[in-house]
Amino acid sequence: MSAPGALLARGSVPGPTGLLAQLALALICAGYAVGAAVGWGSRELAVIMGDFGLSAGALVASVSCLLYARSSPPRHRPAWLLFALSSMMASAGNFVWGWYEVVLDRKVPGPSLADLFFLCFAPPAIIGLLVLAKRPVTRAGWVCLALDAWLIGGSLLTLSWSLALAHTTRVQGESVAPAALSLAYPLLDIVLVSMVLALHFRRSAANRSAVNTAIGALALTVLCDALFTSPLLRESYRSGQLLDAGWFAGSLLLAYAPWGARRPLEPPRPPRGPRAPRLPSRPVAGSLAALTPYLAAAVCTLGILYNVVQGRTVDRVVVLTGCGVVLALVVRQGIMLLDNIALTQELAQKENHFRSLVQGSSDVIMIAAPGGTLRYVSPAASGVYGRDAEDMVGTPLSALIHPDDLGRVLHEVRRFLAADPGDESTTRIECRFRSGRGDWLNVESTVNRHQGGLIFNSRDVTERVRLQAQLQHSAEHDPLTDLPNRALFTERVRQALAGRRAGDPGTAVLFIDLDGFKGVNDRLGHQAGDELLIQAAHRLGDSVRAGDTAARLGGDEFAALILGDGVHDKAARESQVVEIAERLRLTLSQPYRIDGNDVRVAASIGVAFAEKGINPADLMRNADLAMYRAKAGGKDRVELYAPQMQAEVVRRTELAARLRSALHEGEFALLHQPVVSLTTGRIEAITAQARWRSAQGILFTPAEFLRVSGDTERTAELGHWLLEEAVEQAAERDRLGHRVPVTVRVSARRLLDRSMPLATVEALLTRYGLPSGALIVELSDYDPLIPFEELEQRLAGLRRLGVRIALDGLGSGHAAFTALRRLPVDILKLDRELVEGIVESARLHKITSGLLRIACDLGLQSVADGVDVPEQIIALRAMGCTHGQGMAFAGLLDEYRLRRALVRDDFTVPGGLALPVPHRWRVEHPQWTK
């Protein structure tokens, strides 16, 4: 049995209720048969059971079919109604027969009303079978169906006529009615048997068992009718004999048919495992249908031979019927021959059609034998693989697959062959395939089973694989520098921490930030900035070792993963990684040639080492913290991560969070430090400084809280508050008669910020009525990378408003001299570092003296910051410095103490003659000399 047949055979099993019904049916039929065999114990009971018992059984069958017809599908309902009518006729015939024999106690006349009912049993059953039969779809099918029915009926008629019917007609020949009645029973039975054998019936999953059982019940009834009409039993038949048990069983079987259908259950899933190839099997039903005409002709021949052997004269009915059967067989064979010719032509057309599809397909179709040898290759192979199909036939499939992919392909093929075909009819395999040009193509194949071998439907997907690889590369690499991006770098770090190098303390992550890159963007444009990033990426990629990873995280931030060498000595591994980091710093800090100009940036590098149990996110965070520490420590340096950096970050984060609300909650205060004339001891100006006194009572300087804030928006807001508060208080003091200019420190970048236009300063001066010359802007943090042209224009605009410009930090670096050379300033402020060592260091004394001489020659006012002791005052005054501020005079003062100092306006200045105030200062700023 084939696998589908086995599944159908196991497709349904009787339930507990069905088993009980079958057992009850068997017991009832067996009891009736036993009673009939022993004569029921008495003549009277035998007649009753033989007549009314059969009537009751047929009545039960009729009622059962009628009830089932009410719930059956519409297309099956007429058939079951006809079966119910047929059983009702049988019940009525047996009832009339019993009426004569039991009630009237007389022999049944022939013919009688019972014969009429019995004759009406076959036509409804025949029509019901026609309703259930499958209708042919062509005219030839209808003709063949009619011929098959005639072949079966004619052959049965020939055989039965030769055996019994001819004798019956001769016995009953003197009377037409008995002869006709004797012939009617077998002829109707022959028609019924012919319909059962010739027709193919519609059996759905719901009524398959019911139809089969009903056909079996009718066949059993017809068999009993045939025995009843035979001459041997016809004369000796009495009611209640064993023949009645067959009719009774047929009626009960028909009654059981609608309700005894077996319940379909899911077949048990067969265990997976290798299976031997199955040979194709031919269905038995199809073979019997093909042999039916020849079997019918054989039966007809047997009927004729029986007459010849018995020495009888061949009856005309046998001759005519035999001739009709032979003619029908010839006609049927002719129709079948024409049908076969048409099917052959159609098959040839379809074969040509599919051959055209295979040959014209862009996919390569290959059939491999169970051993892996190619038995067929479609012509598309020449276009896809660059190899002739004929040359590939006979080649082992393994010889064409890339060696690195062969193991995976064999594993997938074996798994596919071991799988259940019902669960997995196809599989898909992708591998590299050798082409006729010598290169390897990426081939995707859909694999199907084929007579123990495999069918490969293959297509070239090399372009798709290349595009996928390109998309994968784009998703994992930076589009500008082509270095790995943050996602791929994080994955590489994860692999380094989880692979065979897990726990290697020499593995380190470097975070790199280019100092001054924003200035390059602002000064030369973003295109130049992109070119700088590309060159920096090339330098970084060339500088790391083989096996290490360089990446761009975004903006001007880069990173490098340094894999450890298994060295567990802490000092050795730190020295090795620091050496690599210093080499990267020096390489990245070399000048970049962009658009014919040398551009310089520095590199701040943070280093974090992999510790046991650390995850990628924490390791990268540590390197980031170390990098920010390097930037905060002066930039252009390498900083190693230390655990206290995390605590500092937490502190800075908390401080920054409190700073956001401190300004609105009034926690900031404005303090002032007097700028005193070194000749007269009088206050000539004041410097405004902001201080933050937190809710915890901690006093923070601007350098502290601006460094931790990291919020440019908050810094700008604080700068605006400082400027407005200083102008407002200066205007208030001016109204009270203390006309002392106020100095506000502003960074160069802050002056270039669009959030602080000239209109803002002009609006503040106008709103509070501060006179010209009463506001001094102290320029700080001037980076040589900022656009000096724009800064010069901004300072010139402030001077037009009457704002004086002071240059802070003179002597602290090259940037201050560049600003002095290019920017319009009025006041020079000496850096605190120069003032602190002016007494002890002769070198600093000479440098400071030179700077003050330059300021005097330029006609600029000079102010020394950090004057804390009288000796510094004497030395500065001797050099020509005119003003100073520091603890030698006063510290930071609140508004109340400042006004008291302004009222007193007299600080003690150590001896020496008073120096003349420069003429230019007295003319332009009369309020300073008062």
Side-chain angles (χ1 to χ4, degrees):
M1 182 180 293
S2 63
L7 290 178
L8 289 176
R10 295 194 304 267
S12 59
V13 295
T17 305
L19 288 174
L20 292 177
Q22 293 177 7
L23 183 59
L25 177 64
L27 290 176
I28 294 174
C29 293
Y32 192 97
V34 171
V38 299
W40 296 101
S42 67
R43 171 63 183 166
E44 292 78 9
L45 182 58
V47 173
I48 294 174
M49 293 303 296
D51 295 335
F52 292 112
L54 292 181
S55 178
L59 181 62
V60 171
S62 177
V63 173
S64 176
C65 293
L66 181 63
L67 294 177
Y68 181 68
R70 298 177 59 185
S71 60
S72 61
R75 64 175 183 174
H76 297 151
R77 188 173 302 161
W80 291 99
L81 289 175
L82 290 169
F83 291 157
L85 178 59
S86 177
S87 298
M88 182 60 69
M89 294 296 102
S91 176
N94 283 292
F95 182 81
V96 173
W97 197 286
W99 183 267
Y100 278 103
E101 287 190 338
V102 177
V103 179
L104 301 180
D105 192 17
R106 51 182 288 195
K107 186 177 180 180
V108 180
S112 66
L113 186 60
D115 293 321
L116 177 62
F117 285 126
F118 286 143
L119 290 176
C120 291
F121 164 80
I126 294 172
I127 299 174
L129 292 175
L130 290 174
V131 171
L132 289 177
K134 293 180 180 179
R135 294 178 175 82
V137 295
T138 62
R139 293 181 179 179
W142 282 104
V143 174
C144 288
L145 177 61
L147 292 175
D148 288 343
W150 165 244
L151 286 172
I152 296 171
S155 61
L156 292 177
L157 178 60
T158 302
L159 183 60
S160 59
W161 190 275
S162 300
L163 294 177
L165 295 183
H167 175 70
T168 302
T169 55
R170 285 193 295 271
V171 173
Q172 303 289 345
E174 64 279 1
S175 176
V176 178
L181 185 61
S182 298
L183 292 176
Y185 283 114
L187 291 179
L188 287 175
D189 290 338
I190 289 173
V191 173
L192 187 58
V193 172
S194 302
M195 301 302 295
V196 171
L197 295 177
L199 296 178
H200 299 280
F201 299 98
R202 295 190 295 249
R203 300 180 179 92
S204 63
N207 73 339
R208 181 186 303 274
S209 180
V211 172
N212 291 339
T213 307
I215 292 175
L218 294 176
L220 180 58
T221 303
V222 170
L223 177 61
C224 294
D225 288 346
L227 293 175
F228 172 74
T229 57
S230 65
L232 297 177
L233 295 180
R234 177 72 176 181
E235 300 298 334
S236 61
Y237 171 77
R238 297 290 183 272
S239 295
Q241 292 180 347
L242 192 60
L243 185 60
D244 292 345
W247 280 315
F248 183 78
S251 297
L252 290 189
L253 193 61
L254 184 59
Y256 168 77
W259 315 106
R262 292 172 292 180
R263 296 182 302 172
L265 296 177
E266 183 180 356
R269 195 177 290 271
R272 296 197 174 198
R275 292 174 174 81
R278 297 189 183 98
L279 295 176
S281 60
R282 301 184 63 182
V284 178
S287 301
L288 290 178
L291 292 177
T292 298
Y294 304 101
L295 293 176
V299 171
C300 183
T301 304
L302 288 177
I304 298 175
L305 290 177
Y306 178 79
N307 279 320
V308 173
V309 171
Q310 293 295 327
R312 300 176 183 175
T313 303
V314 179
D315 195 285
R316 287 178 297 178
V317 174
V318 174
V319 174
L320 293 176
T321 305
C323 292
V325 169
V326 172
L327 179 61
L329 181 60
V330 172
V331 173
R332 188 184 188 283
Q333 290 302 106
I335 294 175
M336 294 302 297
L337 178 61
L338 295 177
D339 194 20
N340 288 336
I341 294 174
L343 288 176
T344 302
Q345 294 176 351
E346 183 180 358
L347 181 61
Q349 292 177 358
K350 289 183 177 180
E351 184 178 354
N352 293 331
H353 174 71
F354 283 109
R355 182 180 292 109
S356 300
L357 290 178
V358 171
Q359 294 178 352
S361 174
S362 59
D363 292 352
V364 180
I365 300 175
M366 302 181 296
I367 300 178
T373 304
L374 294 177
R375 296 189 305 188
Y376 171 79
V377 180
S378 66
S382 59
V384 176
Y385 299 147
R387 307 166 65 109
D388 291 337
E390 293 78 5
D391 297 339
M392 295 178 65
V393 174
T395 304
L397 189 61
S398 58
L400 304 175
I401 299 175
H402 196 283
D404 295 342
D405 299 339
L406 183 58
R408 176 173 54 84
V409 172
L410 290 177
H411 174 74
E412 176 62 20
V413 168
R414 289 168 183 160
R415 185 203 62 79
F416 174 65
L417 290 176
D420 188 353
D423 295 339
E424 188 175 7
S425 59
T426 63
T427 188
R428 183 166 294 181
I429 297 176
E430 187 170 333
C431 63
R432 285 168 290 180
F433 211 84
R434 186 191 301 276
S435 71
R437 298 175 291 273
D439 57 345
W440 295 97
L441 302 176
N442 293 95
V443 176
E444 181 185 70
S445 301
T446 302
V447 185
N448 296 269
R449 297 175 180 84
H450 175 69
Q451 295 181 356
L454 294 172
I455 296 180
F456 292 84
N457 192 350
S458 306
R459 61 204 63 88
D460 182 10
V461 293
T462 304
E463 185 65 22
R464 190 195 71 186
V465 172
R466 185 194 64 79
L467 181 59
Q468 287 178 345
Q470 181 178 352
L471 292 176
Q472 182 73 15
H473 182 85
S474 300
E476 294 179 342
H477 289 76
D478 175 59
L480 179 64
T481 62
D482 203 39
L483 289 178
N485 58 15
R486 182 181 293 271
L488 181 56
F489 183 76
T490 304
E491 177 62 21
R492 296 275 178 86
V493 174
R494 186 192 65 78
Q495 293 174 359
L497 297 180
R500 60 182 180 86
R501 300 179 182 272
D504 190 341
T507 299
V509 170
L510 280 59
F511 267 41
I512 307 166
D513 185 82
L514 300 182
D515 304 321
F517 174 74
K518 186 177 185 303
V520 175
N521 265 345
D522 295 340
R523 183 160 44 93
L524 301 179
H526 289 280
Q527 186 173 358
D530 291 345
E531 179 62 27
L532 189 149
L533 291 176
I534 294 173
Q535 294 185 24
H538 289 164
R539 294 184 185 183
L540 181 61
D542 295 339
S543 300
V544 297
R545 305 172 306 174
D548 296 340
T549 300
R552 182 191 177 203
L553 305 183
D556 60 340
E557 290 189 359
F558 294 85
L561 172 63
I562 308 299
L563 298 178
D565 297 330
V567 178
H568 290 274
D569 182 62
K570 182 177 181 181
R573 65 184 172 93
E574 286 188 0
S575 174
Q576 182 183 23
V577 174
V578 169
E579 180 183 354
I580 296 174
E582 286 290 349
R583 185 173 69 248
L584 290 178
R585 183 187 65 81
L586 293 175
T587 301
L588 294 175
S589 299
Q590 295 297 319
Y592 296 85
R593 192 70 178 174
I594 300 176
D595 295 335
N597 300 318
D598 287 339
V599 179
R600 290 180 178 270
V601 294
S604 297
I605 302 178
V607 181
F609 290 93
E611 302 296 340
K612 186 176 181 180
I614 195 171
N615 58 49
D618 290 342
L619 181 59
M620 295 173 65
R621 180 205 62 196
N622 294 345
D624 197 20
L625 292 177
M627 184 265 291
Y628 277 106
R629 171 60 68 88
K631 293 179 71 67
K635 302 180 180 180
D636 193 17
R637 56 183 295 175
V638 175
E639 190 77 30
L640 299 182
Y641 170 78
Q644 58 267 25
M645 291 182 183
Q646 180 63 25
E648 182 180 349
V649 168
V650 174
R651 174 181 171 275
R652 289 172 57 185
T653 303
E654 295 176 350
L655 196 62
R658 295 201 303 268
L659 180 63
R660 292 186 181 95
S661 60
L663 186 61
H664 300 287
E665 295 178 0
E667 295 183 8
F668 277 91
L670 193 64
L671 302 180
H672 303 84
Q673 188 173 33
V675 177
V676 180
S677 172
L678 299 183
T679 59
T680 64
R682 301 182 62 184
I683 300 175
E684 301 292 348
I686 58 175
T687 301
Q689 297 183 27
R691 290 294 184 270
W692 173 32
R693 186 177 299 276
S694 68
Q696 292 76 21
I698 303 175
L699 190 66
F700 296 99
T701 64
E704 292 174 330
F705 60 71
L706 291 180
R707 184 176 65 250
V708 303
S709 69
D711 189 344
T712 56
E713 181 180 354
R714 196 65 55 193
T715 303
E717 185 179 358
L718 179 61
H720 183 77
W721 174 87
L722 174 63
L723 179 61
E724 184 174 2
E725 192 74 10
V727 170
E728 182 181 4
Q729 293 187 12
E732 180 65 23
R733 289 191 295 270
D734 184 75
R735 286 191 290 270
L736 296 176
H738 304 298
R739 297 183 177 180
V740 181
V742 62
T743 301
V744 179
R745 189 173 186 177
V746 182
S747 67
R749 293 192 180 277
R750 170 69 177 147
L751 282 176
L752 296 178
D753 193 350
R754 294 182 179 180
S755 63
M756 185 184 172
L758 293 178
T760 301
V761 179
E762 184 178 6
L764 289 175
L765 297 177
T766 303
R767 183 194 308 168
Y768 296 105
L770 193 66
S772 176
L775 176 63
I776 302 173
V777 171
E778 185 178 301
L779 188 64
S780 65
D781 298 333
Y782 30 83
D783 191 337
L785 297 179
I786 64 176
F788 268 86
E789 294 80 4
E790 186 178 351
L791 180 60
E792 184 179 2
Q793 295 176 5
R794 180 59 61 89
L795 294 178
L798 289 175
R799 296 187 69 187
R800 286 194 295 270
L801 296 177
V803 178
R804 302 294 92 195
I805 307 299
L807 184 62
D808 182 31
L810 186 64
S812 61
H814 175 75
F817 290 97
T818 303
L820 179 62
R821 177 175 61 87
R822 300 186 60 178
L823 300 179
V825 295
D826 302 293
I827 304 169
L828 292 182
K829 195 169 185 179
L830 294 179
D831 190 74
R832 177 181 290 273
E833 295 181 359
L834 291 177
V835 177
E836 286 178 350
I838 196 173
V839 178
E840 295 83 3
S841 174
R843 182 182 296 273
L844 284 179
H845 190 282
K846 291 181 180 181
I847 293 174
T848 306
S849 177
L851 292 176
L852 290 173
R853 195 160 41 248
I854 293 174
C856 183
D857 293 342
L858 293 176
L860 302 179
Q861 183 72 22
S862 58
V863 178
D865 187 17
V867 181
D868 297 332
V869 294
E871 291 80 5
Q872 294 173 344
I873 298 177
I874 296 174
L876 289 170
R877 186 173 58 186
M879 295 177 191
C881 183
T882 58
H883 296 80
Q885 67 181 79
M887 297 304 297
F889 305 109
L892 292 175
L893 305 175
D894 57 18
E895 186 64 22
Y896 172 74
R897 294 179 181 178
L898 175 63
R899 291 184 183 182
R900 288 183 59 185
L902 289 174
V903 171
R904 188 176 73 247
D905 197 17
D906 184 14
F907 289 95
T908 302
V909 178
L913 298 175
L915 296 176
V917 178
H919 176 72
R920 178 173 177 270
W921 184 263
R922 291 197 301 269
V923 173
E924 295 186 5
H925 306 284
Q927 69 273 21
W928 275 60
T929 57
K930 292 197 272 287

